[in-house]
Amino acid sequence: MSVEQVRGWIAQAKSIAVLTGAGMSAESGVPTFRDAQTGLWSKFRPEELATEEAFRARPQFVWDWYVMRREMMKGVQPNAGHVALAGYARRHPGRLALITQNVDGLHQLAGSPGVLALHGNIADDKWLDRPKACCTSNPPKEGRPPSCPVCGNLRRPAVVWFGEMLPMDALAAAEQAAETCGLMLVVGTSGVVYPAAGLARTAARHGRMVVVNPEPSDLDDAAHVVLRGTAAKLLPELLA
Ligand code: APR
């Protein structure tokens, strides 16, 4: 099955959904998570860095890691894949639902409207515990991490950690899109993290699902077509 035939499916579909993962941003220079050599999880242990327990146990260690990742994001630009998705949405308003697991904000930076960010945004912070009046009426005290000067409530990165609930609204809208789209493109994800990966399986049951990935992924079995290639190369071809 070629790119040309998938382009035909895209044109036929009543609406399309796109689910992206870290591979979407690899060609922008953002490391993926599970790539054997360069992936973040090949160097760091997720259970030590991406859980609430880990943050409560070692807030400075975890905070510094996010500061390092934010530094890495400085100057990073959307690639041709991000740009192709934003361009398609501009040319076909309301026809594309863009769902991402990425916290890098590159879809939004490329100008994609209404991005359903399932795992939050690494550029944002929020309170660790439900904020009290003291937390919101005083500027946070400087620190790693910053904290409430009165009760000590900590600031934490506004991303979804393992074991945490996804943002309800974004997840509900993503499930709706997966159930109603005629076609879902699944780009740059290993497909091992749920509930995000479950959206691709839902789309495959209701319509067509196409995987775009240079390597085998856990969703290849459910895909109607697997296109072995990269996001920045294939998305401009598929969406032109
Ligand atoms: N274009 C397309 N796909 C690519 C590219 C590329 N240029 N480069 C790598 N890939 C693919 C890899 O082959 C791999 O299948 O992207 C996938 C990245 O997989 P992961 O690193 O597991 O990232 P992701 O699937 O987004 O992880 C899901 O896990 O760690 C948590 O919360 C984090 O959102 C993340 C979730």
Side-chain angles (χ1 to χ4, degrees):
M1 174 74 70
S2 70
V3 165
E4 231 14 75
Q5 281 153 323
V6 174
R7 279 175 57 81
W9 284 3
I10 291 171
Q12 282 162 25
K14 57 186 184 314
S15 67
I16 65 173
V18 178
L19 172 66
T20 67
M24 179 77 227
S25 301
E27 291 152 289
S28 294
V30 182
T32 65
F33 291 94
R34 291 175 186 81
D35 181 285
Q37 272 71 46
T38 60
L40 287 168
W41 298 149
S42 71
K43 299 189 183 82
F44 306 98
R45 295 156 51 84
E47 61 278 10
E48 282 182 1
L49 288 159
T51 66
E52 185 180 325
E53 296 69 38
F55 183 69
R56 286 187 188 279
R58 299 198 293 171
Q60 186 171 316
F61 176 70
V62 174
W63 181 262
D64 289 352
W65 187 66
Y66 280 92
V67 169
M68 180 272 288
R69 287 181 60 193
R70 286 173 177 171
E71 285 301 315
M72 279 164 61
M73 285 302 304
K74 287 221 171 96
V76 169
Q77 291 301 312
N79 60 52
H82 297 106
V83 172
L85 287 164
Y88 187 90
R90 233 184 349 269
R91 293 192 308 278
H92 306 275
R95 192 171 148 65
L96 182 147
L98 179 50
I99 307 160
T100 191
Q101 299 169 82
N102 298 345
V103 296
D104 57 32
L106 292 177
H107 285 304
Q108 296 89 332
L109 190 59
S112 282
V115 177
L116 301 173
L118 298 180
H119 295 164
N121 191 321
I122 198 169
D124 302 337
D125 292 340
K126 62 181 184 179
W127 290 109
L128 176 62
D129 297 310
R130 181 189 298 279
K132 299 194 275 282
C134 53
C135 306
T136 50
S137 53
N138 298 288
K141 189 177 81 183
E142 291 285 318
R144 298 157 48 208
S147 58
C148 169
V150 179
C151 72
N153 193 3
L154 299 178
R155 299 292 282 168
R156 55 158 286 180
V159 297
V160 176
W161 282 328
F162 290 103
E164 292 190 321
M165 299 283 287
L166 273 58
M168 301 282 278
D169 300 352
L171 182 57
E175 283 165 346
Q176 169 79 12
E179 283 159 15
T180 58
C181 66
L183 173 94
M184 178 181 277
L185 297 175
V186 177
V187 183
T189 182
S190 56
V192 299
V193 172
Y194 285 74
L199 297 166
R201 296 187 179 280
T202 299
R205 283 195 302 277
H206 293 265
R208 291 178 173 138
M209 193 268 279
V210 173
V211 162
V212 175
N213 196 320
E215 305 292 331
S217 82
D218 259 35
L219 291 166
D220 292 8
D221 66 307
H224 296 88
V225 168
V226 173
L227 295 176
R228 283 274 169 259
T230 71
K233 175 133 183 352
L234 286 180
L235 286 175
E237 290 176 21
L238 287 167
L239 300 172

